């Protein structure tokens, strides 16, 4: 059977070819002879309860100067596809939520959506760590400045971040006595009207924030340590961190073994765990990255493994 794959993503013309995980997935699908349809978030719509999209056939190439060709757009039901890869980057805002409702209608009509739309809503990348407290550093989610201040006093050195960001956006490290404490709390909670997360600072961030990728709940044998710049506490490539591939450690595998079965049962087929030192800090379910960096350094093909998992899911239907 010739499989038809729709990909919902950010504008393909603005990606960085050598780093883009979605492009790696599209290349892997084309190597199998699968048909690709390209969509952006605004292309999705519902008419009388049926999910549709404006889709464009797309050809992709691993060429940093000429990596895609789009065909003419056609409006079709999403049920004309076998699979939809939801690869829209955060922020996880209400527009993202609305798009998952549209994709859930497609799922009800027989389309395999990776990752499952309901689970994208349920498993917020920061909050979902609360389901695995045994794997995490001391963590607080609150709106209250007084509670945040007490957490800082208890630990002396903490990270504070929003619940809906990506790429190191608005992540602050603050310590007891920092004169900016109040303004950080005010900024991230919008004067106590929005929740934010506090986590005890983990000194092992100097060795990198490790991205551990899971397919169907099973970890890939290699991870990417994102080592912060000397003048920064953020282990995010978008914030200037340096990527270093490595074999996963026994502790990373143990965390994956705790989290993985739950992810698999929730239809979260492709997930990235963030591990600093011995601790799980985030569970990335929307559009996990780092595939191309790990592939290049370790001689693997993670996207091909994902396509095999998708074939297995389709066959099981």
């Amino acid at each position: 059977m010739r499989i038809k794959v729709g990909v919902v993503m950010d504008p393909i013309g603005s990606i960085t070819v050598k780093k883009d995980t979605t492009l790696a997935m599209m290349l892997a699908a084309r190597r199998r002879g699968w048909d690709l349809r390209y969509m952006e978030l605004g292309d999705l719509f519902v008419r009388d309860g049926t999910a549709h999209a404006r889709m464009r056939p797309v050809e992709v190439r691993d060429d940093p100067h000429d990596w895609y060709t789009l065909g003419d757009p056609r409006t079709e039901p999403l049920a004309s596809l076998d699979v939809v890869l939801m690869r829209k980057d955060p922020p996880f805002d209400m527009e993202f939520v609305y798009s998952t409702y549209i994709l859930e209608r497609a799922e009800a009509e027989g389309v395999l959506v990776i990752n499952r739309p309901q689970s994208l809503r349920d498993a917020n990348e920061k909050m979902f760590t609360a389901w695995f407290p045994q794997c995490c550093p001391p963590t607080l989610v609150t709106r209250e400045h007084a509670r945040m201040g007490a957490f800082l006093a208890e630990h002396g050195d903490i990270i504070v971040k929003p619940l809906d960001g990506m790429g190191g956006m608005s992540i602050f490290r603050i310590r007891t006595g920092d004169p900016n404490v109040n303004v950080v709390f005010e900024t991230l909670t919008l004067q106590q009207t929005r929740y934010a997360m506090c986590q005890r600072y983990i000194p092992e961030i100097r060795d990198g924030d490790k991205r551990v990728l899971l397919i169907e709940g099973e970890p890939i044998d290699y991870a990417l340590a994102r080592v912060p710049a000397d003048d920064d506490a953020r282990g995010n490539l978008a914030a200037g961190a340096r990527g270093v591939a490595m074999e996963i450690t026994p502790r990373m595998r143990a965390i994956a073994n705790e989290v993985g079965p739950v992810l698999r049962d929730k239809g979260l087929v492709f997930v990235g765990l963030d591990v600093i030192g011995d601790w799980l800090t985030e569970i990335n379910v929307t559009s996990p990255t780092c595939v191309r960096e790990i592939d290049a350094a370790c001689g693997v093909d993670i996207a091909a493994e994902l396509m095999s998992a998708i074939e297995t899911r389709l066959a099981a239907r």
Side-chain angles (χ1 to χ4, degrees), residues 253-280:
R253 194 175 294 278
I255 291 172
N257 289 342
E258 288 275 341
V259 179
V262 178
L263 300 174
R264 183 177 60 248
D265 290 347
K266 292 178 75 67
L268 294 165
V269 175
F270 184 65
V271 176
L273 308 182
D274 288 349
V275 177
I276 303 175
D278 287 334
W279 304 107
L280 174 68

Side-chain angles (χ1 to χ4, degrees), residues 10-24:
D10 290 296
I12 193 170
S14 62
I15 68 174
T16 302
V17 170
K18 69 177 183 179
K19 294 183 177 181
D20 197 83
T21 291
T22 304
L23 180 62

Side-chain angles (χ1 to χ4, degrees), residues 178-217:
D178 190 320
N180 294 306
V181 165
N182 290 335
V183 72
V184 169
F185 292 168
E186 291 164 7
T187 298
L188 289 184
T189 67
L190 294 182
Q191 298 288 357
Q192 302 189 97
T193 63
R194 291 183 60 181
Y195 286 101
M197 173 175 278
C198 303
Q199 287 179 324
R200 186 185 67 194
Y201 176 72
I202 306 170
E204 290 84 355
I205 185 63
R206 63 180 177 267
D207 301 319
D209 183 350
K210 283 83 170 183
R211 170 59 54 85
V212 180
L213 295 172
L214 279 66
I215 296 175
E216 292 285 20

Side-chain angles (χ1 to χ4, degrees), residues 5 18 55 60 68 89 94 103 108-109 121-122 156 167 174 182 201 211 253 273 289 296 299 305 311:
V5 181
K18 69 177 183 179
M55 310 177 193
V60 289
Y68 72 102
D89 284 342
M94 284 307 300
L103 293 174
E109 294 166 3
R121 297 193 300 271
D122 289 349
I174 53 177
N182 290 335
Y201 176 72
R211 170 59 54 85
R253 194 175 294 278
L273 308 182
T289 60
E305 294 186 42
E311 280 187 314

Side-chain angles (χ1 to χ4, degrees), residues 204-213 219-228 242-253 273-278 290-300 302:
E204 290 84 355
I205 185 63
R206 63 180 177 267
D207 301 319
D209 183 350
K210 283 83 170 183
R211 170 59 54 85
V212 180
L213 295 172
I220 301 299
D221 289 335
Y222 301 94
L224 191 75
R226 295 155 302 163
V227 181
R242 172 174 53 92
V244 180
M246 59 180 292
E247 292 188 13
I248 65 170
T249 65
R251 175 58 177 169
M252 293 178 201
R253 194 175 294 278
L273 308 182
D274 288 349
V275 177
I276 303 175
D278 287 334
C290 298
V291 160
R292 301 217 79 185
E293 294 90 340
I294 296 172
D295 281 355
C298 303
V300 293
I302 297 169

